[in-house]
Amino acid sequence: MEEWWKTMPKIELHAHLNGSIRDSTLLELARELGDKGTIVFSDFEQVILKHDRSLVEVFKLFDLIHLITTDHKTVTKITKEVVEDFAAENVVYLELRTTPKRNDSKGMSKESYMQAVVEGLRAVNNVDVDFAHKLDAEAIENSHPANDRNSESRRKKICVRLLLSIDRRESTEAAMETVKLALQMKDLGVVGIDLSGNPVIGEWQTFLPALKFAKEQGLSVTLHSGEVPNSEEVHAMLDFLPGRIGHACYFEEDHWRKLKSFKIPVEICLTSNIRTETIPSLDVHHFADLYNSEHPVSLCTDDMGVFSTSLSHEYRLAASAYGLGMKEMHTLARDAINFIFAGNDAKEELKEIFASVSKELK
Ligand code: 6MZ
């Protein structure tokens, strides 16, 4: 039973790259910088190993993480590891989001940051990564000829798509730069835009022009919404009709009504919401109401490194908190296919994967 959560195919739609780094890698990177005298290692060690964090502390931690992860080589390494970790627990489709960062002291532009991410996808070698279009699929096939359809030794495969995040600290111009970069990188698996960052910072109006432009240009958009009370912003976000929203913790009656009538899918991050105390306990979490009213929802990790979780653990948690069986969990995982941001080819492939498991469950 324990193993089932790990072996069942899963779809991850809300994972931040720098929040998903292994503790061991963070400590290794911090130690290297400590040895160079750039940081005081013991200060970092304490923060990295602390597990209960308020929302405010989480954003302080991100600032620390960003201090030790912003050079190209490191961005490539963490991307590779994060994809390998998701694949190891049978995530078959991953939408990985990250904030393109400029760092002049490292000669890094938003574009070169994203190139380093793509290098990370290419560097994965214990599982096949389908992250772009036909070209990459062909390259995979040629580099692993044992992968033919009849082969017993068929390798594991994960389909990865990228979302570029706009940080709420950014200006309209910086947000627009990110959207233009996303458009430029469409052939490298970028399918959409995310708005995230510290929810007490920034105004919706600042990001709106870039988000509107993204939508007009055919990019999908997901928004972090209602992580702190902000009724007006939640209304404006729902009226924008994003492809999905994340969290939805501080929603009021009229927000729920609107969300449900617009049928906007919600990315649910149980552990993250409990750890940051945006929801007091699982028994009052909005997952239950949304699930029971058949509103589209998907279980996600948010930041599996920062919150010491995994997607398998999120499924196990939901099953025990809400009394869902294997079949219901499988259906929940499968139905996320309907609101992934990748195109029809990826959807069809995922349907086949889930259908083959459905047969076994009958
Ligand atoms: C809002 C979050 C977040 O982009 O550097 N991020 N934004 N709410 C959350 N819930 C707790 N968790 C992560 O990954 C880290 C960045 O993702 C956003 C924050 O902007 C954080 O700095 P990347 O790869």
Side-chain angles (χ1 to χ4, degrees), residues 37-81:
T38 318
I39 59 162
V40 179
F41 174 70
S42 55
D43 292 354
F44 266 76
E45 190 184 26
Q46 274 181 8
V47 180
I48 291 167
L49 296 178
K50 183 172 183 262
H51 285 305
D52 279 324
R53 301 185 179 92
S54 66
L55 198 59
V56 174
E57 284 176 325
V58 163
F59 287 101
K60 277 194 198 143
L61 176 61
F62 281 126
D63 287 341
L64 289 184
I65 292 177
H66 289 146
L67 279 180
I68 56 178
T69 59
T70 34
D71 68 79
H72 296 104
K73 203 173 113 237
T74 306
V75 172
T76 297
K77 175 184 164 72
I78 61 173
T79 306
K80 171 182 184 284
E81 289 183 357

Side-chain angles (χ1 to χ4, degrees), residues 114-342:
M114 284 311 302
Q115 279 163 355
V117 170
V118 171
E119 274 317 300
L121 300 182
R122 291 205 167 102
V124 174
N125 51 27
N126 64 352
V127 52
D128 290 335
V129 182
D130 160 7
F131 68 92
H133 300 296
K134 290 247 158 25
L135 265 184
D136 279 88
E138 277 165 23
I140 288 170
E141 205 62 33
N142 293 338
S143 62
H144 303 294
N147 223 14
D148 69 85
R149 284 196 170 266
N150 304 321
S151 170
E152 285 289 313
S153 59
R154 195 169 159 76
R155 280 163 52 99
K156 239 189 204 181
K157 183 173 156 189
I158 181 169
C159 180
V160 182
R161 294 294 183 267
L162 299 170
L163 305 182
L164 304 201
S165 301
I166 295 169
D167 186 316
R168 295 184 63 111
R169 286 179 288 203
E170 291 184 293
S171 64
T172 304
E173 293 69 34
M176 197 60 101
E177 190 192 342
T178 296
V179 174
K180 286 184 180 154
L181 180 58
L183 289 169
Q184 207 179 301
M185 294 186 68
K186 264 181 150 178
D187 286 343
L188 290 168
V190 174
V191 289
I193 294 289
D194 156 57
L195 175 67
S196 55
N198 192 336
V200 299
I201 294 175
E203 299 290 328
W204 170 246
Q205 289 303 326
T206 309
F207 319 114
L208 188 55
L211 294 169
K212 258 189 180 161
F213 179 64
K215 226 178 168 189
E216 282 160 15
Q217 296 295 314
L219 287 168
S220 297
V221 175
T222 176
L223 306 170
H224 282 60
S225 186
E227 277 188 287
V228 290
N230 190 342
S231 176
E232 214 176 297
E233 183 180 272
V234 171
H235 273 300
M237 285 181 164
L238 294 172
D239 290 336
F240 176 76
L241 289 179
R244 301 192 303 256
I245 63 149
H247 297 296
C249 299
Y250 289 91
F251 270 35
E252 296 158 13
E253 268 319 305
D254 44 349
H255 302 134
W256 290 126
R257 222 172 294 124
K258 204 176 254 185
L259 175 94
K260 286 180 181 172
S261 74
F262 294 168
K263 295 194 169 57
I264 301 170
V266 183
E267 302 151 0
I268 297 278
C269 310
L270 295 173
T271 298
S272 161
N273 296 160
I274 299 299
R275 285 280 174 88
T276 56
E277 295 175 353
T278 44
I279 299 289
S281 62
L282 288 179
D283 53 333
V284 295
H285 197 284
H286 44 285
F287 171 83
D289 172 62
L290 291 174
Y291 181 81
N292 290 332
S293 50
E294 296 182 10
H295 186 83
V297 286
S298 172
L299 292 177
C300 307
T301 52
D302 201 8
D303 299 290
M304 66 175 172
V306 167
F307 299 120
S308 310
T309 187
S310 65
L311 194 54
S312 313
H313 180 70
E314 296 302 302
Y315 273 86
R316 185 146 55 95
L317 212 57
S320 68
Y322 309 111
L324 306 176
M326 266 158 58
K327 238 178 169 174
E328 287 139 321
M329 289 279 104
H330 172 76
T331 306
L332 178 65
R334 184 199 60 200
D335 287 354
I337 297 174
N338 299 325
F339 38 95
I340 66 170
F341 287 165

